Amino acid sequence: MKKDFYLTRYALIIKRLERSPATYPEIESYLLNSFEFQDANIVSYSIRTLQRDIKDIANLFNFDIHNKKKGDNRYYIESRPVMEVDEYNQRLLESFQIMNAVNSQPDLAQFVYPETRTPRGIQNFYDLLFAIRNKRILEFQHFKYKDQSITSRKVHPYALKESKDRWYLIALDTKDEKLKAFGLDRISDLEVSKAGFKLQQRFNLKDHFKNAFGIMNLEEEPEKVVIKSTKEQAEYLKSSPLHHSQQIEKETEKSVYFTYDLYPTYDFIQEILSYGNQVKVTQPKSLIEKIKETLKQSIQQYDDSASDQ
């Protein structure tokens, strides 16, 4: 079976079991009759592959598929409270399900219009997942935008993270023993070593990402951030929170105040600026000053535009 088809299988298995518990023959029939399997000309799906897929789904999406064994021998997804579902795994799962829905019907291009920007570097996605799951050392060349330099890296891969249509490898750089983020679009000459590594317990990625916004400095402490939003913009923020820690502090006749527990990174500042006059930061003072300085520099660029002629 094609190695690049595994994500499609995962999404289909999850979709079937979200509907109701199912036996292996029922799952096999569902997969083989799906448009995805038919388009890929796949005509068999063994119980051994199902058992392997179930283990991989548990590792990738952080939830378990169980088998009742006694009685009807059906597989089912363990139900959990919504708040326990990991934010990043849920995003990943939703993305795969959308991708499969679009790819299953070529004529959907007539009435489905996704973003035209596609993430670069994802040709290494499978190899990176393999290295992460099997704890294999990675070696690659990494291009740095800031000084246009290329450096050789040897890392212990820990996770993959998406931010603003870009994917990043979160890995321990063996040169200085620091956790870093490497853009997949800037990775080349990737080699998966046969040598393995042991995870360092001092790095708890769930804790690191808990207060993350975008790709941030993983060692910074979170702060309480308060923003004031117009009523209209607040409806968008309520339906699609900026961060999982978002809470409503208070509402007035014209405004809604939201609080966040995160470290205000460059990515977060850019996000706030994208809302223009619909959103204003009221706390902390240090973040207010950073935003004011950014806005001053932006205005200055336009004031100096005459000199560019």
Side-chain angles (χ1 to χ4, degrees), residues 131-138 155-158 172 174 194-200:
I132 292 168
R133 183 180 295 118
N134 294 283
K135 299 179 179 61
R136 297 284 187 87
I137 294 173
L138 291 175
V155 305
H156 297 171
Y158 281 13
L172 181 74
T174 58
K194 292 183 178 180
F197 66 91
K198 290 184 178 180
L199 290 174
Q200 292 199 20

Side-chain angles (χ1 to χ4, degrees), residues 28 99 116 125 128 132 158 178 192 222 241 260 271 273 296-297:
E28 179 192 32
M99 175 190 70
T116 55
F125 211 92
L128 292 170
I132 292 168
Y158 281 13
K178 290 185 178 181
V192 180
Y260 303 89
E271 185 72 18
L273 289 172
K296 285 180 182 177
Q297 291 177 4

Side-chain angles (χ1 to χ4, degrees), residues 189-234:
D189 301 323
L190 178 71
E191 294 289 339
V192 180
S193 171
K194 292 183 178 180
F197 66 91
K198 290 184 178 180
L199 290 174
Q200 292 199 20
Q201 297 302 316
R202 64 191 176 104
F203 294 117
N204 186 319
L205 293 185
K206 270 198 171 182
D207 287 344
H208 282 308
F209 289 142
K210 182 180 179 181
N211 304 109
F213 189 94
I215 296 298
M216 71 342 165
N217 185 339
L218 297 174
E219 297 179 355
E220 296 287 352
E221 291 297 320
E223 298 181 53
K224 180 182 178 181
V225 175
V226 181
I227 68 170
K228 174 185 175 183
S229 169
T230 62
K231 283 284 191 177
E232 180 182 0
Q233 187 60 51

Side-chain angles (χ1 to χ4, degrees), residues 73-90:
N73 200 30
R74 291 182 298 171
Y75 293 88
Y76 66 97
I77 295 176
E78 181 183 25
S79 60
R80 295 186 298 168
V82 175
M83 293 302 293
E84 291 185 14
V85 177
D86 185 275
E87 176 187 1
Y88 300 101
N89 289 324
Q90 189 64 30

